[in-house]
Amino acid sequence: MVLKPQILRYSSLPSTNSEASRLALEGAPEGLCIVADEQTAGRGRLQRQWISPRGAGLYMSMILRPRQALETWPVLTLMSAVAVTDTLKRTDKVQADIKWPNDVLVQGRKICGILAETHEAADDRLLVLGIGINLTATAFPPELRETATSVAEVTGKMVDHEIILTTLLKSLSRYYELFQQGSFDQIIDAWCKRSSYANGKLVRVVSEDQSIEGTTLGLEPDGALRIVTSAGEVKIIRAGDVTAVRPDEESSKAFR
Ligand code: BTN
């Protein structure tokens, strides 16, 4: 079934994800998108805050009710990052990278974050896909200047919020159709083609209980990241924060 996004616009919300979740649990249909000009309590992954000043970012959440098995849903977060990457290229000629699983980066700095939240009730199961794209540099506080960027900064031009939103919804719908058909491999392939993290990247993965280093070795069919440690052991990563280990950090370690 083709996804037909429908947009509900708000001037201000605590969080588009929270509003979308509330409406979804009341029965709102698949494809409903909540878009706000500002968020007063925007949420990021790992309980982080997502600073969302008025007009400085695209803040949107879409309700999905996938019929595929729950174990395949992580592919939806990869799919969203691919859709954002394609959108930025199409609308603003921005060449973006994807850090596993779904941080969209330009020149190593974050331009978009994605928060996918699953809800399961007795007879209901759904996903809220929250996407925040930094449109201008005021989308993030000065202390994030080193690690974040925005479409306006990268292009040096005014950003058309509406064109980005429309293109993104089209792209999400196209990839979601592939997902619903069970063509997960096509989504994984698209992700790998767009991500410098897919293969051969030395990374550190920090999760609740461990920190490991290794070189990336592609993705599992469900989107988990494979890495091989210096001891030759292959690890499958399903959660955690991935960072690239910089070459200078490596060489300084060698001389210690
Ligand atoms: C991340 O930590 O990288 C994820 C950030 C996700 C932010 C978006 S903005 C729209 C939606 N509403 C929220 O409260 N969070 C997501």
Side-chain angles (χ1 to χ4, degrees):
M1 203 180 71
V2 180
L3 188 69
K4 292 215 177 64
Q6 235 199 318
I7 305 172
L8 267 189
R9 293 171 193 274
Y10 294 75
S11 167
S12 180
L13 276 177
S15 153
T16 56
N17 260 38
S18 302
E19 183 63 7
S21 301
R22 189 184 69 75
L23 293 171
L25 292 169
E26 282 178 0
E30 173 162 87
L32 186 71
C33 295
I34 306 300
V35 178
D37 296 338
E38 73 167 358
Q39 297 184 116
T40 52
R43 296 185 281 110
R45 284 175 65 228
L46 310 170
Q47 270 85 52
R48 290 177 189 140
Q49 234 190 325
W50 189 260
I51 310 279
S52 316
R54 178 170 297 276
L58 174 68
Y59 316 118
M60 81 102 171
S61 303
M62 184 189 257
I63 299 171
L64 295 177
R65 298 179 178 279
R67 285 179 296 279
Q68 306 287 347
L70 201 57
E71 305 78 72
T72 65
W73 289 20
V75 175
L76 289 167
T77 72
L78 304 180
M79 170 197 103
S80 316
V82 171
V84 170
T85 308
D86 288 5
T87 297
L88 295 179
K89 191 166 180 191
R90 203 159 298 150
T91 58
D92 294 273
K93 299 190 174 60
V94 170
Q95 189 66 46
D97 191 9
I98 311 173
K99 180 166 80 75
W100 188 89
N102 56 14
D103 278 351
V104 181
L105 312 176
V106 176
Q107 286 146 17
R109 295 194 285 158
K110 187 153 160 174
I111 200 163
C112 166
I114 296 166
L115 178 67
E117 294 181 307
T118 305
H119 298 281
E120 279 190 274
D123 53 353
D124 204 8
R125 215 174 59 171
L126 63 102
L127 185 96
V128 169
L129 205 56
I131 300 180
I133 302 180
N134 298 332
L135 299 179
T136 73
T138 44
F140 48 84
E143 62 269 24
L144 294 187
R145 188 146 286 285
E146 296 294 303
T147 53
T149 191
S150 66
V151 181
E153 266 184 290
V154 172
T155 60
K157 291 189 189 138
M158 292 280 286
V159 180
D160 192 323
H161 178 280
E162 283 307 310
I163 291 182
I164 293 185
L165 176 61
T166 314
T167 312
L168 177 60
L169 294 182
K170 271 196 200 131
S171 188
L172 282 170
S173 306
R174 196 167 68 82
Y175 283 110
Y176 189 57
E177 219 174 311
L178 285 180
F179 179 84
Q180 291 287 51
Q181 289 162 4
S183 305
F184 310 128
D185 50 340
Q186 286 191 46
I187 297 171
I188 303 272
D189 271 7
W191 189 95
C192 288
K193 284 202 183 97
R194 288 158 183 75
S195 172
S196 73
Y197 283 74
N199 278 291
K201 186 117 168 169
L202 187 59
V203 294
R204 180 173 304 122
V205 186
V206 179
S207 56
E208 260 172 23
D209 50 350
Q210 60 174 352
S211 165
I212 45 175
E213 249 180 57
T215 304
T216 58
L217 200 63
L219 301 185
E220 291 282 291
D222 67 353
L225 180 67
R226 275 192 297 262
I227 66 171
V228 56
T229 66
S230 55
E233 206 183 335
V234 175
K235 304 255 187 195
I236 309 293
I237 310 296
R238 291 209 153 74
D241 231 7
V242 171
T243 46
V245 175
R246 285 186 222 100
D248 53 342
E249 195 178 326
E250 270 307 282
S251 50
S252 64
K253 230 195 284 171
F255 290 106
R256 236 177 257 147

